[in-house]
């Protein structure tokens, strides 16, 4: 038996312990022994063990000082005294002032968008700001436009969630009744027309539900060329009040130049703790996210597996092959083809693919603007028996609604 490694750290006020769990099937247990600490804005309970698994990259921050113990094998573990947490706390304080003003004037609270290149801590800052807001008794809306990671549902979607409790240390924000829209690719560039359409739709729905607590929007790390246009479009669609730019002066200057004057564009430093991820690690994170969707993280889920006849399925994909404008029927733009539904006939190519289960009953039912009920994964295709085997969080039968084919794949070898 290998010995469990035990490390103890004394943290001074305003410092953080950073660690990573790298090795396969490794588990690290964290415990606060004395003092107060938080993890990406969620307070840690003293003497309570928290578990972290392979791939976790964590920072335990303390405003007042604390002692922390780690049990298990960490790849990296060190204490950092330089962090941008005071700056982030000031941003929170400024947003809080705007919420108070919104209450007094009966208007909506601040709509904030977090932008920046990849690996600067956008998702982490979003989580910190949401946590600080709920800890003040607010109920902000969390919007995630990052189709690459899909923090709210699975990769290939955008979504929104009302945040009523701080994120759980091990499982993140509670996923009750999220609003989720299908995109089907892991980068907005795969279909800009569709991406902008669903972002616009989500923005409309959120505008109807806005409160004095405001909205915090996480975005993709694609910031150049069309990526910049996508960000500007989202800013406009959500009518943002504040844009927080992490670690990119060029983006900051471009937004300062192009955004209307009432939009506050704020430059923020990134944390030295944010870990860069290779494209393999990103793909692994996507995969892990999908596995979590079906099997749960800490609380295990037990998905169902069953067969469905080809004849009982209505599968569509979004986006017909686009023709030049000159070949389009009168009054139609080539871009319109990109948001058209095209029926997909079941074939072996469906194996391992995710299918979004829409609330829309039929293809004429405003499918793109419909919220998703959830996802299933095709685990096998039997052309002889004309059957698909499906992995689903819900027991059979599959609802008799439209299924939207995603490009994202998941190999179920659980
Ligand atoms: P992407 O563009 O891929 O969405 P991002 O800019 O949103 O990336 P995050 O996902 O917030 O970046 O952070 C990348 C990784 O760094 C995450 O695994 C996160 O847990 C970790 N991380 C963030 N801040 C710290 C920190 N201060 N110390 C240690 N690890 C951190």
């Amino acid at each position: 038996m290998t010995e469990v490694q035990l490390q103890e750290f004394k943290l001074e006020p305003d410092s953080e312990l950073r660690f990573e769990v790298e090795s396969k099937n490794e588990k690290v247990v964290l415990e606060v022994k004395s003092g107060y600490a938080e993890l990406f804005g969620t307070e840690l309970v003293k003497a309570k063990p928290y578990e972290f698994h392979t791939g976790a990259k964590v920072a335990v921050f303390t405003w007042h000082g604390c002692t922390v113990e780690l049990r298990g094998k960490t790849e990296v573990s060190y204490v950092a005294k330089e962090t941008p947490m005071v700056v982030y706390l000031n941003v929170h304080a400024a947003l809080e002032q705007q919420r108070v003003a919104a209450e007094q004037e009966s208007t909506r609270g601040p709509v904030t968008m977090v932008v920046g290149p990849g690996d600067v801590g956008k998702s982490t800052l979003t989580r910190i700001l949401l946590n600080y807001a709920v800890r003040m008794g607010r109920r902000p809306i969390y919007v995630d436009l990052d189709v690459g990671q899909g923090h709210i549902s699975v990769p290939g979607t955008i979504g929104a969630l009302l945040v009523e409790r701080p994120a759980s240390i091990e499982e993140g924000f509670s996923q009750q009744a999220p609003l989720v829209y299908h995109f089907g690719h892991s980068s907005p560039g795969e279909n800009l027309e569709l991406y902008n359409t669903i972002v616009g739709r989500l923005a409309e729905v959120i505008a109807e539900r806005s409160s004095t607590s405001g909205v915090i929007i996480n975005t993709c790390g694609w910031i150049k060329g069309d990526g910049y246009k996508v960000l500007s479009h989202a800013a406009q669609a959500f009518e943002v009040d504040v844009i927080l730019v992490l670690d990119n002066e060029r983006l900051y200057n471009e937004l300062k130049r192009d955004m209307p004057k009432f939009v506050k564009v704020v430059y923020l430093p990134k944390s030295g703790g944010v870990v860069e991820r290779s494209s393999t690690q990103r793909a692994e994170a996507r995969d892990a996210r999908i596995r979590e969707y079906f099997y749960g993280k800490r609380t295990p889920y037990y998905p169902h597996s069953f067969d469905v006849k080809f004849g009982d399925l209505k599968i569509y994909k979004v986006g017909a092959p686009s023709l030049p404008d000159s070949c389009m029927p009168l009054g139609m733009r080539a871009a319109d083809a990109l948001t058209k539904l095209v029926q997909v006939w079941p074939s072996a190519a469906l194996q391992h693919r995710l299918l979004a289960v829409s609330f829309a009953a039929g293809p004429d039912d405003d499918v793109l603007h419909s919220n998703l009920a959830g996802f299933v994964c095709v685990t096998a295709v039997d052309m002889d028996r004309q059957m698909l085997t499906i992995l689903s969080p819900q027991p059979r039968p599959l609802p008799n609604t439209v299924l939207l084919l995603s490009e994202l794949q998941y190999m179920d070898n659980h």
Side-chain angles (χ1 to χ4, degrees):
M1 233 177 78
T2 49
E3 213 179 307
V4 176
Q5 285 185 7
L6 191 94
Q7 308 173 72
E8 194 178 84
F9 300 88
K10 276 197 179 20
L11 275 68
E12 315 240 303
D14 260 343
S15 65
E16 71 185 19
L17 165 67
R18 296 173 183 159
F19 65 90
E20 288 178 43
V21 189
E22 273 299 323
S23 339
K24 278 259 181 291
N25 303 321
E26 204 57 60
K27 179 175 91 178
V28 171
V29 180
L30 158 81
E31 218 177 289
V32 178
K33 291 293 186 187
S34 66
Y36 296 93
E38 60 181 45
L39 194 148
F40 302 143
T42 306
E43 287 170 294
L44 292 158
V45 177
K46 207 174 294 174
K48 179 175 170 176
Y50 295 99
E51 277 184 17
F52 297 90
H53 298 266
T54 314
K57 302 176 199 314
V58 184
V60 178
F61 179 83
T62 178
W63 293 105
H64 305 288
C66 67
T67 311
V68 178
E69 185 186 275
L70 291 184
R71 294 194 295 272
K73 188 164 168 283
T74 50
E75 211 58 24
V76 197
S77 54
Y78 66 99
V79 175
K81 294 213 162 84
E82 294 287 322
T83 79
M85 289 300 282
V86 173
V87 185
Y88 296 172
L89 184 67
N90 285 339
V91 170
H92 160 70
L95 294 177
E96 196 48 36
Q97 272 179 7
Q98 293 186 38
R99 293 183 188 115
V100 172
E103 268 175 342
Q104 286 163 354
E105 293 155 22
S106 301
T107 53
R108 65 162 209 194
V111 177
T112 309
M113 187 162 103
V114 181
V115 303
D119 297 325
V120 289
K122 294 181 296 301
S123 314
T124 305
L125 176 61
T126 305
R127 177 165 169 170
I128 292 172
L129 293 175
L130 287 166
N131 276 331
Y132 285 177
V134 261
R135 281 168 64 183
M136 302 287 293
R138 305 288 177 190
R139 296 165 83 223
I141 295 176
Y142 167 26
V143 170
D144 188 27
L145 303 182
D146 184 359
V147 287
Q149 297 296 325
H151 296 280
I152 289 184
S153 179
V154 294
T157 62
I158 62 168
L161 199 62
L162 179 67
V163 179
E164 299 181 282
R165 273 182 300 266
S168 131
I169 298 291
E170 287 143 329
E171 300 188 72
F173 290 108
S174 157
Q175 303 275 332
Q176 265 169 22
L179 260 177
V180 182
Y181 293 94
H182 170 79
F183 181 60
H185 312 271
S186 57
S187 161
E190 301 284 330
N191 188 340
L192 291 170
E193 191 74 16
L194 174 61
Y195 187 79
N196 288 338
T197 302
I198 57 173
V199 166
R201 172 61 184 171
L202 182 58
E204 270 170 26
V205 177
I206 295 303
E208 285 165 12
R209 302 185 182 185
S210 66
S211 72
T212 52
S213 293
V215 181
I216 301 188
I217 307 167
N218 184 33
T219 59
C220 292
W222 185 35
I223 57 167
K224 289 196 182 143
D226 283 339
Y228 180 73
K229 287 191 201 145
V230 160
L231 285 179
S232 315
H233 170 265
Q236 214 174 18
F238 281 92
E239 299 181 15
V240 300
D241 304 294
V242 183
I243 303 182
L244 305 173
V245 187
L246 276 170
D247 195 51
N248 194 287
E249 289 191 28
R250 172 181 154 163
L251 179 60
Y252 168 75
N253 282 305
E254 283 175 331
L255 288 166
K256 264 247 173 305
R257 182 193 65 204
D258 299 340
M259 286 294 128
K261 286 288 159 281
F262 58 82
V263 178
K264 270 205 179 61
V265 184
V266 183
Y267 184 86
L268 295 177
K270 74 165 188 184
S271 164
V274 180
V275 188
E276 268 185 39
R277 285 172 295 183
S278 62
S279 52
T280 324
Q281 282 171 321
R282 265 169 209 280
E284 278 169 8
R286 270 202 280 280
D287 220 50
R289 187 72 203 104
I290 302 174
R291 188 172 56 242
E292 232 174 270
Y293 176 84
F294 288 108
Y295 291 97
K297 204 169 186 179
R298 171 105 200 234
T299 326
Y301 303 154
Y302 301 98
H304 305 262
S305 177
F306 51 87
D307 291 347
V308 190
K309 284 200 271 256
F310 284 179
D312 292 343
L313 294 162
K314 287 182 273 190
I315 306 178
Y316 293 84
K317 69 174 189 145
V318 189
S322 81
L323 299 167
D325 272 321
S326 55
C327 306
M328 295 302 289
L330 206 63
M332 249 180 103
R333 295 177 307 143
D336 294 339
L338 295 168
T339 53
K340 252 181 106 75
L341 286 196
V342 184
Q343 185 146 20
V344 176
W345 301 108
S347 72
L350 289 187
Q351 182 141 12
H352 306 310
R353 295 281 207 104
L354 292 184
L355 299 173
V357 181
S358 174
F359 275 118
D364 304 324
D365 229 12
D366 206 7
V367 175
L368 298 187
H369 286 182
S370 294
N371 187 14
L372 296 182
F375 279 86
V376 297
C377 178
V378 180
T379 48
V381 184
D382 186 334
M383 293 307 286
D384 294 336
R385 287 169 53 234
Q386 301 269 295
M387 292 273 200
L388 290 187
T389 309
I390 270 177
L391 183 72
S392 162
Q394 300 294 329
R396 75 171 81 213
L398 209 54
N400 181 27
T401 54
V402 166
L403 299 171
L404 294 163
L405 179 62
S406 175
E407 253 189 6
L408 285 121
Q409 298 196 350
Y410 172 65
M411 302 248 198
D412 182 39
N413 43 22
H414 205 75

